Amino acid sequence: MTVFNDLMSLLSLALNRSEHTEEEIKEILDKLDLDEEGWQKLMTLSVENSVTGLWFDILYEYDKLPIKAKNALKHYAQKICKRNYRYLVLAIRIKQAFEKAHIPFCILKGMAAGADYPVPDVRKVSDLDIFVASPNDIKKAVKLAEELGFRADEEQHSLRHVEMRDEAGNKLELHGMLAEPFDNAKTNAFLEKLLPDCSKHIVEKEILGTTLPVLDDAYHAYELLMHMLQHFLNSGFGVRLLCDWVVLWNRGLSKKDEELFLKLVEESKVKGFLDTITRVCVKYLGLKREKVLSMNLYDKNRSRQELEDEAEDFLKEMMDAGEFGKNKERMVALRGSGIFDYMREFHHQMHLNFPKAGKCFLLWPVLWVMTLVKFLRNNKKVRSVSTREVFESAKKRSRLVKNMHLFN
């Protein structure tokens, strides 16, 4: 718990750096009172969640930071900066090609979120996410990406999401929707309904010294939320995306954008998830409560302590996950623990694994068997854990989902 609390303190400080003087920063760092082993544990946990670079400018000159930790911090920050600017160049090339071909698009997720950070250069960008505003342009976009040196991965898990890589290993994801399908038909139908209007919510924004198209604040916030939910229901997402949430809302949204965002959340039936992650960010990561008053985070029918305890459990779960649930024993989070809940999720995973073949219900029995075989094989060869451990993990995580009342 000590390392966990120290990590939260450092992240809160880094995300709200402008509010502190140099003397105040040093005083906060002194209170950590870490020895060399403590710094090593803290660095390890932060690397697992890809947030080490966020505190480079507040920690590197700290006189009590051990030389080994300082060198590791410098190396990690430099590596992130190089990666980020490499992806920036790719984004500029994509922009030039897509604009020439008259394909409406925008940058999503990491690169778009990074612009709100005090030091955008050190918010790690893992890949380049491009939203293609018209589903009819996906194939055209793939062809243009191929001309830029990218090739589609052999295995794809969606008809509206194409993963590609170039020879250097840089990853490009072309998205035809704001989020991948969930196991709820109404929410998926709503996401589909939004598509015709998405191009109207694309604006220009300065990112790392250049201008790129991104979603406006309402749709950007909504996309970040649904992205977090998608990863949470699968294997988790770590704390980095929560940092994105903090800097966005602390920067502030207009009243119009707040109202539109909350309307999108209500239509999607994901208010419980919104409340949970936002309470976590207020309690641990320096999100200002006055910036999110419009969300009405606290349920009058439940005690504040109960809600705070849930927030703590959720954050522990995210920290255990590491970046995007890299811990080997993890499985999807179910919306219940009954046999029907397992069957529903299993059927959903079948559609994700076989997006084309899954459209033919006559093939479902065969695809169910293939999905089961793949699941059992991954447990043994990839996760190196027993199937029992995986299901126990899923059951534990499902308890967190229950009180969110997702899609209800």
Side-chain angles (χ1 to χ4, degrees), residues 104-249:
F105 81 101
C106 67
I107 308 293
L108 293 179
K109 305 178 186 177
M111 186 169 286
D116 289 324
Y117 279 78
V119 184
D121 311 56
V122 290
R123 191 284 183 194
K124 180 183 175 183
V125 175
S126 301
D127 51 28
L128 182 59
D129 291 282
I130 301 292
F131 172 64
V132 181
S134 173
N136 296 328
D137 286 332
I138 285 287
K139 290 184 178 179
K140 190 176 179 181
V142 170
K143 185 176 180 180
L144 285 175
E146 288 175 342
E147 293 175 1
L148 293 174
F150 287 89
R151 295 292 178 268
D153 293 352
E154 290 186 7
E155 187 174 353
Q156 301 287 337
H157 297 287
S158 175
L159 296 175
R160 305 279 283 277
H161 173 198
V162 182
E163 296 186 5
M164 309 182 75
R165 286 174 173 81
D166 64 11
E167 290 184 357
N170 299 310
K171 186 177 179 182
L172 170 68
E173 295 191 18
L174 299 173
H175 300 266
M177 294 186 70
L178 293 180
E180 293 300 297
F182 297 93
D183 68 337
N184 184 272
K186 290 184 178 179
T187 298
N188 293 338
F190 177 70
L191 287 167
E192 191 79 35
K193 182 182 175 182
L194 287 180
L195 287 178
D197 286 334
C198 282
S199 60
K200 301 175 185 176
H201 293 272
I202 295 176
V203 297
E204 294 287 323
K205 186 172 184 177
E206 183 177 320
I207 299 177
L208 295 175
T210 192
T211 302
L212 293 170
V214 298
L215 292 170
D216 64 20
D217 281 348
Y219 270 63
H220 173 57
Y222 178 69
E223 189 276 330
L224 287 182
L225 178 73
M226 300 305 280
H227 177 54
M228 282 189 279
L229 176 59
Q230 177 185 315
H231 280 290
F232 170 66
L233 291 176
N234 284 298
S235 56
F237 56 82
V239 75
R240 181 171 49 146
L241 299 188
L242 293 178
C243 294
D244 294 345
W245 199 244
V246 172
V247 294
L248 170 64
W249 285 93

Side-chain angles (χ1 to χ4, degrees), residues 152-367:
D153 293 352
E154 290 186 7
E155 187 174 353
Q156 301 287 337
H157 297 287
S158 175
L159 296 175
R160 305 279 283 277
H161 173 198
V162 182
E163 296 186 5
M164 309 182 75
R165 286 174 173 81
D166 64 11
E167 290 184 357
N170 299 310
K171 186 177 179 182
L172 170 68
E173 295 191 18
L174 299 173
H175 300 266
M177 294 186 70
L178 293 180
E180 293 300 297
F182 297 93
D183 68 337
N184 184 272
K186 290 184 178 179
T187 298
N188 293 338
F190 177 70
L191 287 167
E192 191 79 35
K193 182 182 175 182
L194 287 180
L195 287 178
D197 286 334
C198 282
S199 60
K200 301 175 185 176
H201 293 272
I202 295 176
V203 297
E204 294 287 323
K205 186 172 184 177
E206 183 177 320
I207 299 177
L208 295 175
T210 192
T211 302
L212 293 170
V214 298
L215 292 170
D216 64 20
D217 281 348
Y219 270 63
H220 173 57
Y222 178 69
E223 189 276 330
L224 287 182
L225 178 73
M226 300 305 280
H227 177 54
M228 282 189 279
L229 176 59
Q230 177 185 315
H231 280 290
F232 170 66
L233 291 176
N234 284 298
S235 56
F237 56 82
V239 75
R240 181 171 49 146
L241 299 188
L242 293 178
C243 294
D244 294 345
W245 199 244
V246 172
V247 294
L248 170 64
W249 285 93
N250 275 351
R251 187 251 293 168
L253 277 65
S254 69
K255 184 177 180 180
K256 179 181 178 181
D257 281 325
E258 281 192 16
E259 291 175 350
L260 176 55
F261 165 74
L262 291 173
K263 181 180 179 181
L264 295 173
V265 169
E266 185 62 32
E267 290 282 349
S268 305
K269 309 298 181 185
V270 294
K271 181 65 164 59
F273 180 71
L274 168 67
D275 291 349
T276 299
I277 65 165
T278 307
R279 284 195 292 263
V280 166
C281 292
V282 169
K283 183 175 182 179
Y284 292 100
L285 292 172
L287 174 55
K288 299 177 179 60
R289 192 183 300 273
E290 63 270 19
K291 295 287 187 177
V292 292
L293 290 177
S294 61
M295 294 185 191
N296 296 318
L297 297 175
Y298 293 93
D299 188 339
K300 294 180 180 178
N301 297 320
R302 303 180 66 194
S303 71
R304 179 165 297 219
Q305 185 59 52
E306 182 182 5
L307 295 173
E308 295 287 352
D309 289 344
E310 280 184 11
E312 182 175 343
D313 290 341
F314 180 87
L315 184 56
K316 288 178 181 177
E317 154 65 22
M318 290 297 94
M319 296 303 298
D320 288 342
E323 185 185 20
F324 296 118
K326 289 180 180 176
N327 284 2
K328 60 184 180 181
E329 78 280 2
R330 300 176 64 77
M331 183 187 162
V332 295
L334 306 175
R335 291 190 285 124
S337 56
I339 186 65
F340 176 76
D341 299 298
Y342 283 94
M343 291 174 61
R344 179 183 59 210
E345 182 57 39
F346 186 74
H347 184 69
H348 178 57
Q349 291 299 317
M350 179 272 287
H351 279 291
L352 293 180
N353 286 321
F354 306 100
K356 292 183 179 179
K359 289 186 174 183
C360 178
F361 74 91
L362 295 175
L363 296 176
W364 286 0
V366 176
L367 299 180

